[in-house]
Amino acid sequence: MFKNKTILKEKLLESVKSVLPISAIVLLLCFTVAPVDMANFTSFLFGSALLIVGIGLFTLGAETSMTPMGEYVGAQMTRSKKIWLIISLSFVVGIMITMSEPDLQVLATYVPSIQPSILLILSVSLGVGAFLVVAMLRILFGIKLRYLLLFFYVVAFTLALFVNPSFWSVAFDSGGVTTGPMTVPFIMALGVGVSSIRSDSQESNDSFGLVSLCSVGPIIAVLVLGLIYNPEGSSGAGFDLTQLETSRELGWSYLASFPHYILEVVKAVLPIVVFFFIYQAFTKPLGKKQILKILIGLAYTFVGLVLFLTGANVGFMPVGYLIGTALGASNFSFIVIPIGMLIGFFIVVAEPAVQVLQKQVEDVTSGAIPKKALAFALEIGVAISVGIAMLRALTGISIMYFLIPGYVIALVLPFFVDDIFSSIAFDSGGVASGAMTTAFLLPFAIGVCEASGNNVATDAFGTVAMVAMTPLIAIQILGVVYKARIRKLDKATNLTLEEIIDMQADKPCYEINDETGEIQIIPAVGAVVDDEIIDFE
């Protein structure tokens, strides 16, 4: 119990560091160029507090429940050596966790042109289910991720040629929102569990890549929907703000929202939990101690996600829209581009799924790919993407002018970097475009777009897609830099990146001094010294 309290304190401190910068930027804007009414301002402050507590509880819960559950299911599925069982279970799990993903539910409410909303939700869920099967088979048969991604993105852009342009932004946005706070921990852990059965040199590389394939599935599914479905409208969603006049109404707005998000999280968590406990009962039942630990972790996950979604949607969403509207209608509207980039730089680290990704990358690579380096690459990538999204909201430039060259670069880079960087990069694209993007950046873009008189469906939508694209390039550029450093290391030690990652804790390891360029011997990657893991940071 004492250990849990200590870890929770650490997680809360991490979440403060994540949420504080974006909150400070929003407060500065509210005090200067984009004033908002006191009711929404106060609601934002309360929402920030909920985000801090929610992210802390969620990340702790995901590590102790969702991750072990996913690893267990993945490992047990693979041990069965029954392809039909792996395919059917993967398909069902993919549909189940996607239909209940809170981010997808939010996006569906923004797209009135595709009604009923279950049509979009079902299409996206089928896409994730089908491509989770593809991802599992890729791991089992050792197929290179780069070739699958290249093939399926060519299919996606070819389909886009025959689809109404109003579907483009929604389709690529769907690929981003499906990999949110519920989907990512379970799917990533599933990959670790499946790849752990293999004992070859590519085991750690292949543990990543599931999220990336599960992101391209919805894109293709929605584009196929566009071939057979004629949208009823093309203007997109407006944004209806509830007017708050008293502190009582403000308090009630939160109290009235809690039941809704409790129900949303129950729908998201319950199918996975029921599936897991039924599955483990028929395979290799876990011990009471393990089950108790998972149940406690699920409680943390549940409470944390409820607080996070309530704070993000009730506190952040209206303020994002109001600030976007104010800046878009001002005489210096182009200031939204640098402001958007600044917000994007800091908002990505507040994504719960991003923190799960960083932890798993650090664990799987034993610290060879530092958490700080990964975070910085994500921050740069998302900053650029939000800047582009704001430019589109102001000018109405077609999203394809950015997506096509962006994905060409992203799909060429895997041939020049180590496989593990490509897998992590394409996973990070889906992870970066999570709940905070949907709850704050998308309303922000809608406000800018409406104030500029542009089409919300084509010019504001696509923000999530841009946030999902640029990290692919940024992290692979990080891979190019690391490859150059490893090449230098290899000349002196005859070690490759994979060998460094796979080194045992009782063997020596090496580090390049950034200031002197000298190679220094340090304790092994993953070695434990005074309860701290040594890495390259």
Side-chain angles (χ1 to χ4, degrees):
M1 183 64 69
F2 178 75
K3 184 179 179 182
N4 281 345
K5 288 182 178 179
T6 303
I7 297 174
L8 179 57
K9 185 177 178 180
E10 292 174 358
K11 296 298 181 185
L12 290 174
L13 184 59
E14 288 177 5
S15 63
V16 168
K17 293 177 181 178
S18 300
V19 176
L20 199 57
I22 180 63
S23 298
I25 293 169
V26 173
L27 290 177
L28 182 63
L29 291 172
C30 291
F31 288 144
T32 54
V33 295
V36 299
D37 59 277
M38 279 303 298
N40 280 300
F41 180 77
T42 307
S43 178
F44 170 79
L45 294 177
F46 188 60
S48 298
L50 290 184
L51 250 65
I52 290 171
V53 179
I55 292 173
L57 291 173
F58 175 83
T59 51
L60 175 59
E63 287 178 16
T64 54
S65 62
M66 302 302 293
T67 298
M69 287 164 60
E71 290 179 359
Y72 173 88
V73 172
Q76 292 301 317
M77 263 197 318
T78 311
R79 284 197 182 97
S80 70
K81 296 182 180 180
K82 298 177 181 177
I83 297 296
W84 68 267
L85 181 64
I86 294 172
I87 290 174
S88 56
L89 285 179
S90 299
F91 185 67
V92 170
V93 168
I95 293 175
M96 194 165 52
I97 60 178
T98 305
M99 289 193 72
S100 54
E101 179 61 56
D103 294 352
L104 178 59
Q105 304 284 340
V106 173
L107 180 68
T109 62
Y110 281 147
V111 188
S113 58
I114 302 178
Q115 292 298 326
S117 60
I118 188 64
L119 189 61
L120 177 63
I121 294 171
L122 185 60
S123 299
V124 170
S125 300
L126 289 170
V128 173
F131 275 74
L132 184 56
V133 172
V134 173
M136 288 296 189
L137 295 178
R138 179 194 79 83
I139 294 176
L140 293 176
F141 294 106
I143 303 171
K144 291 283 188 181
L145 179 64
R146 66 176 74 135
Y147 299 120
L148 289 177
L149 290 173
L150 182 60
F151 172 75
F152 286 121
Y153 274 108
V154 168
V155 170
F157 282 104
T158 302
L159 283 172
L161 296 174
F162 304 97
V163 171
N164 189 313
S166 64
F167 269 88
W168 291 349
S169 296
V170 174
F172 281 89
D173 277 355
S174 298
V177 299
T178 50
T179 47
M182 279 308 304
T183 312
V184 168
F186 192 82
I187 285 185
M188 288 195 69
L190 205 62
V192 173
V194 173
S195 62
S196 66
I197 300 301
R198 291 169 46 186
S199 56
D200 55 37
S201 60
Q202 296 300 309
E203 176 191 328
S204 61
N205 293 358
D206 286 343
S207 64
F208 298 101
L210 268 74
V211 173
S212 58
L213 285 169
C214 289
S215 295
V216 71
I219 297 173
I220 294 176
V222 175
L223 289 172
V224 170
L225 176 65
L227 292 174
I228 58 178
Y229 183 82
N230 184 29
E232 299 175 1
S234 59
S235 61
F239 200 93
D240 184 24
L241 286 180
T242 302
Q243 297 297 320
L244 303 173
E245 296 182 358
T246 66
S247 57
R248 178 185 297 174
E249 291 178 356
L250 171 60
W252 181 249
S253 69
Y254 274 94
L255 289 175
S257 298
F258 275 121
H260 170 73
Y261 291 110
I262 287 172
L263 181 60
E264 289 295 311
V265 177
V266 167
K267 290 192 297 184
V269 174
L270 193 59
I272 299 174
V273 174
V274 171
F275 167 81
F276 170 76
F277 281 106
I278 292 177
Y279 185 77
Q280 66 92 32
F282 282 94
T283 51
K284 183 181 178 183
L286 297 174
K288 292 182 179 179
K289 187 175 181 180
Q290 291 173 297
I291 290 178
L292 180 61
K293 185 177 180 181
I294 287 174
L295 289 174
I296 293 172
L298 286 170
Y300 281 126
T301 302
F302 179 84
V303 176
L305 197 52
V306 169
L307 295 178
F308 174 83
L309 291 174
T310 306
N313 290 286
V314 180
F316 273 65
M317 190 181 290
V319 171
Y321 175 76
L322 291 171
I323 291 176
T325 302
L327 293 175
S330 66
N331 294 327
F332 41 90
S333 58
F334 273 88
I335 197 175
V336 301
I337 297 175
I339 288 176
M341 293 180 71
L342 186 64
I343 292 173
F345 183 88
F346 288 106
I347 204 170
V348 66
V349 293
E351 290 283 4
V354 167
Q355 301 197 20
V356 173
L357 174 70
Q358 289 177 323
K359 179 70 167 57
Q360 185 150 339
V361 169
E362 200 165 44
D363 288 346
V364 171
T365 65
S366 299
I369 300 176
K371 185 177 178 180
K372 289 182 180 178
L374 183 65
F376 184 71
L378 281 172
E379 288 165 344
I380 293 295
V382 173
I384 294 171
S385 66
V386 177
I388 294 172
M390 293 305 106
L391 177 65
R392 290 188 58 250
L394 285 172
T395 61
I397 300 174
S398 172
I399 192 172
M400 286 300 175
Y401 286 113
F402 300 101
L403 288 181
I404 292 175
Y407 274 102
V408 167
I409 295 171
L411 292 167
V412 168
L413 280 172
F415 294 93
F416 299 94
V417 300
D418 292 286
D419 290 342
I420 192 166
F421 274 100
S422 297
S423 300
I424 292 170
F426 277 88
D427 278 357
S428 70
V431 170
S433 51
M436 286 297 290
T437 301
T438 309
F440 186 85
L441 290 179
L442 185 55
F444 183 71
I446 290 174
V448 172
C449 191
E450 287 184 350
S452 304
N454 291 317
N455 188 314
V456 171
T458 58
D459 305 329
F461 287 115
T463 299
V464 178
M466 297 307 305
V467 171
M469 181 190 72
T470 49
L472 314 184
I473 301 172
I475 289 181
Q476 290 188 94
I477 290 175
L478 173 66
V480 172
V481 174
Y482 260 74
K483 191 170 185 178
R485 295 182 66 189
I486 293 300
R487 190 179 292 115
K488 186 175 181 180
L489 180 65
D490 181 52
K491 290 179 180 178
T493 64
N494 294 320
L495 293 173
T496 64
L497 177 62
E498 287 80 8
E499 288 171 332
I500 291 172
I501 291 172
D502 293 334
M503 288 180 69
Q504 301 300 317
D506 59 349
K507 296 180 181 179
C509 195
Y510 307 85
E511 182 181 54
I512 299 176
N513 190 306
D514 291 326
E515 296 180 359
T516 65
E518 296 178 352
I519 296 174
Q520 303 170 331
I521 297 177
I522 61 169
V525 175
V528 178
V529 180
D530 295 332
D531 295 327
E532 292 186 2
I533 296 178
I534 302 299
D535 56 32
F536 275 131
E537 293 186 52

